[in-house]
Amino acid sequence: MTAAKPKTWLARFLLALLMAVTLLPFLSMFTAALAPSGSYPNGLSWPSDPQWGNFAKAFESANMGQLLMSSALIVLGVVPASVLAATMAGYGLAKLMQGRNKWIYLVFVAGLTLPFEAVITPLYYEVRAFGLLNTRFAIILPLIGLYMPFSVYWMRAHFLNVPNDLTEAAQLDGATRWKEFWLVQVPLARPAIMSLTILLFLWTWNQFLLPVVLVKDPSRRTMAGALGAFQGQWGTDVPLLCAGSLLILAPTVLLFLAFQRHFVAALLQGSVKG
Amino acid sequence: MNEGTPLKDARHQAARLLPSGRARKAQYTALLFVLPAFTAYAVFVLAPLVMSVYYSTLRWDGIGKARFTGLANYVTVLTDPDLLSIIGNAFELVLYFTVIPVLLGLAVASSIRGHMSGTFGTLTRTVLFLPQVIPLVAAGIAWSWMFASSGLVNQALTAIGLTDWTRGWLGDFDFALPAVGIIGAWVLLGLCTMLLVTGIAKIDPSLYEAARLDGARPWHEFRYITLPGLRQEIGVCVTVTVISALASFDIVYIATSGGPGITTMVPGLEIYRLAFAHRQVGLASALAIVLMVLVLIAITPIQWYARDKK
């Protein structure tokens, strides 16, 4: 094997370079966040008198506690409902549907590449008609629908790989479809469900377009949506903006570091659509 | 698709010939399982899509009376020089969002050619996936700061003696769009690299061994083994990055809001502006439909390419 191994040092050097490029913006934000509020710091320089208080200040003025709460509520509204509906649909499409109902799956798949901007205008009028503008439901309900093509595609792909004997065995034991689904299929689908949960959590937490259009009040938005509002508010105060941005990044980054392996697996598989 | 067993086929036949109670009931159960997902999808995606098409034929300010104008809005989208240059911007972003990550990813993957194991592998994966985990808005803010006049990019240029090159990158008519492109490339770089590294590890090493014994040059190995072997992964990378470029919104909104002038305006942001600031709902909807179609046109050939030729 040794003879065929390409130059490992070259690979390592390239990777180290990529890592540096990836991390630099974060570092630059971090040093800027420690400069005196309202000052113009330099790109990457350790301040003479680090202002750790900027983080507290940003936390206060951004109402970070309430934001965390709001984002968590939105995630709780979107993710469990989406995962449940998609798991049921994936099972139905993979195991129960026959010939004539093929088109249903195709209709779902057609939405896979839909840019959200393509439906955002009518969504606004629809949500307004439901009387939900400016509530968290304005973000939750549309997102459940918008994530459905991917979620259904994902769960169906999982169920296609489950051998049919399981279903037949459960049927012979006299289980109803509903029982078989809950007792046999869902426990087996746990890895697929877990990855889907991670992806939907990330996409919901980071969703920006819907909150900006449908919810005026930053405290009812997602974290990402609120960050957009702060940029307008603190635009000229670089240290405060950087401190606020880092705080808003922190929850997902910490979760990511804690469950690094699962996140990476989910993101790698999740990009393989189509 | 798996071929049905004879028994299944018989059941199919039976179901078609005499809609026996059982077969019908089975289909009925299947529909019930799909119903919740389909309802959510129909109400919040299909219905708005139909409305988008309908709005696109109107002249409507979102409040007063709407006037039916047929395809006039589409004619505007496809002939108005500003709107055309906005669509052009999206395709220019593809150059950065797609080409940089895919080329760099290929370079890294072919130089590693194998699994990344151990601590170094974990560290690399963790760092390279960071941009995928953070909101795009945060990437936009971080890079707005990088590109600012006192930001790191100018600091680095000054440090190597290129003081004449320093500028406020995102406010520069010539450089704002490339700068936005770099932000997108930064976000997608790690994902593509990891996809290609994972993909190349699956290629059978004996292929390379054989090529080496036949005296193949590294370039030949790359051309005849690596590229065909990574066909699917490259397809995925290109698809994901092209969609993010054409449908970009978050990064542009935060970094430049489409300025200076309309040099960095992209369709996604223009739809938002037309619909909610300029109150031209009809034109916004026509642009939305055009954007959707453009995405489909752009990624269809990639899907064909990525198909395994078995």
Side-chain angles (χ1 to χ4, degrees):
Chain A
M1 272 317 285
T2 42
K5 264 279 167 259
K7 305 177 184 66
T8 324
W9 62 265
L10 175 67
R12 294 220 158 183
F13 172 74
L14 275 174
L15 281 174
L17 205 64
L18 285 188
M19 280 197 263
V21 167
T22 305
L23 288 175
L24 270 177
F26 292 107
L27 276 178
S28 178
M29 270 214 283
F30 185 66
T31 58
L34 293 175
S37 171
S39 70
Y40 283 96
N42 260 326
L44 191 61
S45 53
W46 191 254
S48 48
D49 175 22
Q51 303 282 320
W52 295 97
N54 283 348
F55 287 101
K57 208 163 149 189
F59 195 97
E60 281 296 300
S61 80
N63 224 336
M64 206 68 75
Q66 202 180 6
L67 266 185
L68 273 168
M69 197 61 208
S70 175
S71 294
L73 282 174
I74 291 170
V75 164
L76 282 176
V78 172
V79 178
S82 300
V83 170
L84 177 62
T87 308
M88 283 170 57
Y91 168 74
L93 289 168
K95 291 286 171 227
L96 310 175
M97 283 283 175
Q98 285 159 3
R100 245 177 323 172
N101 289 321
K102 258 274 168 25
W103 63 270
I104 297 184
Y105 173 63
L106 293 179
V107 172
F108 274 117
V109 172
L112 265 181
T113 61
L114 179 86
F116 286 10
E117 295 98 329
V119 291
I120 192 69
T121 313
L123 259 182
Y124 172 85
Y125 291 105
E126 189 178 1
V127 168
R128 194 176 69 174
F130 289 148
L132 294 173
L133 271 191
N134 247 329
T135 65
R136 287 197 191 92
F137 281 109
I139 302 173
I140 293 171
L141 296 175
L143 279 185
I144 294 176
L146 284 160
Y147 293 150
M148 213 40 90
F150 175 80
S151 310
V152 168
Y153 163 84
W154 180 260
M155 289 317 299
R156 176 179 172 270
H158 158 80
F159 283 116
L160 282 179
N161 287 328
V162 176
N164 279 330
D165 333 0
L166 278 172
T167 302
E168 275 150 29
Q171 294 300 308
L172 285 177
D173 287 344
T176 59
R177 290 287 181 191
W178 188 238
K179 259 214 172 104
E180 178 213 334
F181 173 75
W182 280 109
L183 298 177
V184 180
Q185 299 289 358
V186 169
L188 279 174
R190 213 171 278 164
I193 289 175
M194 167 121 179
S195 292
L196 182 63
T197 305
I198 289 177
L199 288 173
L200 291 180
F201 158 74
L202 268 184
W203 293 341
T204 306
W205 192 269
N206 293 340
Q207 171 50 229
F208 182 65
L209 176 67
L210 267 75
V212 162
V213 171
L214 304 171
V215 177
K216 286 253 181 308
D217 174 5
S219 68
R220 291 203 198 119
R221 286 181 177 179
T222 58
M223 283 295 223
L227 190 53
F230 299 144
Q231 199 217 14
Q233 199 181 315
W234 303 331
T236 50
D237 193 340
V238 171
L240 211 53
L241 184 61
C242 287
S245 306
L246 286 171
L247 284 178
I248 281 184
L249 292 184
T252 31
V253 169
L254 288 176
L255 269 177
F256 168 62
L257 294 178
F259 302 104
Q260 185 266 133
R261 187 176 301 261
H262 299 288
F263 270 75
V264 168
L267 284 161
L268 273 178
Q269 300 163 331
S271 55
V272 189
K273 335 184 203 181
Chain B
M1 292 277 62
N2 45 1
E3 284 301 309
T5 55
L7 178 70
K8 251 217 191 121
D9 284 343
R11 244 194 251 151
H12 263 291
Q13 291 288 349
R16 219 167 309 149
L17 293 175
L18 45 140
S20 73
R22 252 182 89 178
R24 253 222 313 251
K25 190 162 172 282
Q27 283 309 287
Y28 190 65
T29 315
L31 285 174
L32 279 181
F33 268 97
V34 179
L35 194 64
F38 196 80
T39 309
Y41 180 53
V43 173
F44 291 105
V45 179
L46 297 179
L49 210 51
V50 172
M51 289 313 282
S52 237
V53 174
Y54 166 66
Y55 289 160
S56 71
T57 63
L58 304 176
R59 198 193 162 101
W60 185 40
D61 63 4
I63 306 163
K65 272 235 176 299
R67 240 189 39 235
F68 179 78
T69 55
L71 295 178
N73 287 320
Y74 290 94
V75 174
T76 310
V77 169
L78 299 173
T79 55
D80 182 88
D82 277 3
L83 286 169
L84 282 177
S85 83
I86 287 168
I87 293 171
N89 288 345
F91 281 95
E92 202 167 318
L93 283 183
V94 172
L95 290 179
Y96 297 90
F97 278 51
T98 303
V99 175
I100 297 176
V102 171
L103 287 185
L104 276 173
L106 278 172
V108 173
S110 26
S111 61
I112 294 182
R113 202 197 293 161
H115 283 289
M116 288 197 312
S117 48
T119 327
F120 186 76
T122 310
L123 180 72
T124 314
R125 266 191 297 272
T126 310
V127 171
L128 289 188
F129 267 106
L130 268 181
Q132 284 291 311
V133 176
I134 63 167
L136 285 172
V137 184
I141 289 179
W143 278 91
S144 305
W145 166 230
M146 294 282 284
F147 283 128
S149 15
S150 66
L152 185 57
V153 173
N154 285 340
Q155 204 186 7
L157 286 172
T158 311
I160 54 173
L162 294 172
T163 317
D164 307 351
W165 289 34
T166 59
R167 66 193 72 221
W169 296 90
L170 292 168
D172 187 291
F173 274 85
D174 295 325
F175 286 98
L177 191 61
V180 169
I182 298 287
I183 304 177
W186 176 82
V187 169
L188 295 160
L189 189 64
L191 177 70
C192 284
T193 304
M194 291 314 305
L195 271 169
L196 296 168
V197 166
T198 315
I200 209 165
K202 288 187 206 139
I203 298 178
D204 184 357
S206 64
L207 286 175
Y208 290 106
E209 293 281 349
R212 186 138 320 186
L213 290 175
D214 291 344
R217 292 275 161 79
W219 164 246
H220 289 145
E221 287 184 13
F222 179 76
R223 170 79 187 72
Y224 295 107
I225 304 173
T226 306
L227 272 186
L230 285 177
R231 187 187 283 263
Q232 261 186 319
E233 284 80 7
I234 294 172
V236 171
C237 279
V238 174
T239 308
V240 171
T241 53
V242 164
I243 293 176
S244 350
L246 294 182
S248 52
F249 177 89
D250 307 20
I251 292 176
V252 181
Y253 178 103
I254 289 289
T256 62
S257 305
I262 55 161
T263 50
T264 58
M265 185 54 83
V266 287
L269 190 53
E270 182 68 4
I271 291 165
Y272 169 79
R273 253 195 1 165
L274 285 172
F276 302 108
H278 294 263
R279 299 233 152 258
Q280 292 178 279
V281 177
L283 192 55
S285 302
L287 182 58
I289 300 294
V290 169
L291 172 63
M292 187 181 79
V293 173
L294 282 177
V295 168
L296 285 175
I297 292 175
I299 63 169
T300 307
I302 309 167
Q303 302 309 312
W304 283 113
Y305 159 82
R307 281 266 167 83
D308 264 343
K309 290 192 175 144
K310 273 174 186 158

